[in-house]
Amino acid sequence: MTAASANWARLNLIYPPSRSDVSEVERISTGIKELDDALEGGIPKGSWVVATGEPGVGKSILAMHFAYAGLKAGDPVVYVTTEQEYRDVVVQARQLGMDFGRYPTYSLGWRKEPEELPQIVVVDIFGLLKVARQLTEKSKEESSDKVKRYAALSVDTLIEAIGEAYKVLEVVEEGRGAPVRHVRLVIDSMSAFWVDKPVMARKYSYQLKIATHRDNVTALLTSQYAPTTGQAYGFGLEHIADGVIHMWMDDVESAREVRRHLIIKKMRMTNHSRKAFDVEIEPGRGLVLRQ
Ligand SMILES: Nc1ncnc2c1ncn2[C@@H]1O[C@H](COP(=O)(O)OP(=O)(O)OP(=O)(O)O)[C@@H](O)[C@H]1O
Ligand SMILES: [Mg+2]
């Protein structure tokens, strides 16, 4: 830290942000009104937010709401889906009242070039495989005796794929990696990238955050929890995230029904609600939150 930045940090400690500073934070809608209200209007622009929870709590649906709100607002969207095929995302979203099919879409896995400027670029397992192959080829060209082989589900491949998606969306300028306009990034789920090596979660999370955390990128990443232990599959993401939205369900054996809940555990620059919501997933509406 330089002397100037140390002074600046100290000043910020002495003078907590005033009300006007709070209102200066630009907020990005989550796509769910009740959640936005609990977040003083939405997620601070440029944040890296993680949705955590066990299977079936609604993390992927939350990701759909966030992406769909972006499409409606005119934001370009990068949608990484490792859990399910994008066409299944589209089908489920439609059941829940979100019509992704209305927006020009391009998938990185497709052979053909985009015919029109897409508003959403999908990075699924096929897209990741293609990018991994390209990276391996590039490594072969650079040095035939020390070839680096890239896996589809590796953070290096993911970072490259997100960069490719920005190019397709035409949000980056030649020679620069940071988008010049606001982009929404969804990664559903991050757990897939360290499923076979959970001890690496923190290192990979840092690597990804350094590569993707930009003022113009608001990101929602999902992370799975083991239902048996209540532990995240690999630690790290929650510690370095700017916000954590945690979802869970009551023990189904004693409740004898699925009762879901959501709580905002942290959100930087936000005086957020500290109370849990009850969550319903309703056809035509998606996640419905009540406090
Ligand atoms: N059309 C629908 N109508 C009502 N409820 C639905 C509908 N589609 C999905 N659901 C509910 O949403 C649940 C799945 O939510 P979601 O896929 O967001 O969970 P998740 O937290 O992402 O789980 P995982 O960790 O397994 O990916 C289903 O189990 C079902 O209960
Ligand atoms: Mg999911």
Side-chain angles (χ1 to χ4, degrees), residues 54-61 83 92 95-96 224 260 281 283:
E54 65 197 90
V57 285
K59 302 180 297 296
S60 295
I61 297 174
E83 306 292 294
Q92 183 161 327
Q95 294 173 336
L96 302 172
Q224 291 162 349
R260 300 184 178 89
I281 300 171

Side-chain angles (χ1 to χ4, degrees), residues 25-283:
V25 175
E26 198 178 326
R27 303 219 170 245
I28 304 301
S29 173
T30 61
I32 301 168
K33 166 100 179 45
E34 297 77 17
L35 190 53
D36 287 347
D37 290 346
L39 287 165
E40 296 190 297
I43 296 168
K45 182 178 164 214
S47 299
W48 229 60
V49 177
V50 182
T52 58
E54 65 197 90
V57 285
K59 302 180 297 296
S60 295
I61 297 174
L62 178 64
M64 290 172 203
H65 279 287
F66 174 73
Y68 196 65
L71 293 175
K72 283 202 294 187
D75 278 342
V77 177
V78 177
Y79 201 105
V80 182
T81 171
T82 60
E83 306 292 294
Q84 47 186 339
E85 283 187 42
Y86 185 68
R87 58 162 186 253
D88 294 341
V89 172
V90 173
V91 169
Q92 183 161 327
R94 197 175 295 128
Q95 294 173 336
L96 302 172
M98 297 173 265
D99 187 4
F100 279 76
R102 284 174 45 200
Y103 297 91
T105 306
Y106 181 74
S107 175
L108 273 198
W110 290 346
R111 277 168 199 269
K112 59 174 191 233
E113 295 289 311
E115 279 159 16
E116 56 177 335
L117 180 65
Q119 205 189 331
I120 177 164
V121 171
V122 176
V123 181
D124 60 7
I125 194 69
F126 303 107
L128 289 166
L129 273 168
K130 188 168 145 188
V131 171
R133 236 178 281 130
Q134 287 166 350
L135 283 171
T136 307
E137 284 303 315
K138 210 161 115 194
S139 165
K140 266 188 207 157
E141 281 162 23
E142 280 162 9
S143 149
S144 54
D145 44 271
K146 236 182 137 218
V147 179
K148 185 168 176 204
R149 292 190 188 281
Y150 290 82
L153 289 175
S154 81
V155 172
D156 287 328
T157 304
L158 175 63
I159 291 167
E160 180 76 12
I162 292 168
E164 282 295 311
Y166 290 163
K167 281 189 208 153
V168 177
L169 289 164
E170 297 182 4
V171 294
V172 279
E173 284 170 356
E174 202 55 43
R176 297 187 54 195
V180 290
R181 56 179 288 212
H182 183 244
V183 178
R184 292 186 187 225
L185 170 64
V186 167
I187 305 179
D188 183 26
S189 85
M190 275 312 298
S191 311
F193 292 90
W194 49 71
V195 80
D196 58 341
K197 33 191 168 343
V199 289
M200 300 298 278
R202 184 177 290 247
K203 183 178 171 225
Y204 290 164
S205 306
Y206 267 114
Q207 195 189 340
L208 184 73
K209 186 165 183 189
I210 289 164
T212 61
H213 192 247
R214 300 287 181 270
D215 289 350
N216 259 340
V217 179
T218 309
L220 183 72
L221 300 82
T222 70
S223 170
Q224 291 162 349
Y225 263 55
T228 42
T229 60
Q231 301 280 322
Y233 288 127
F235 303 97
L237 204 48
E238 286 178 71
H239 293 281
I240 61 167
D242 302 310
V244 176
I245 297 174
H246 183 56
M247 303 169 83
W248 76 99
M249 58 172 83
D250 292 343
D251 174 51
V252 288
E253 290 184 12
S254 46
R256 296 166 70 92
E257 63 176 318
V258 173
R259 278 194 221 129
R260 300 184 178 89
H261 310 278
L262 177 152
I263 194 159
I264 303 158
K265 276 172 76 172
K266 73 167 177 179
M267 191 65 65
R268 76 175 173 137
M269 293 187 284
T270 307
N271 182 20
H272 60 84
S273 164
R274 260 89 68 197
K275 286 225 161 54
F277 287 93
D278 294 337
V279 178
E280 299 285 349
I281 300 171
E282 294 183 8

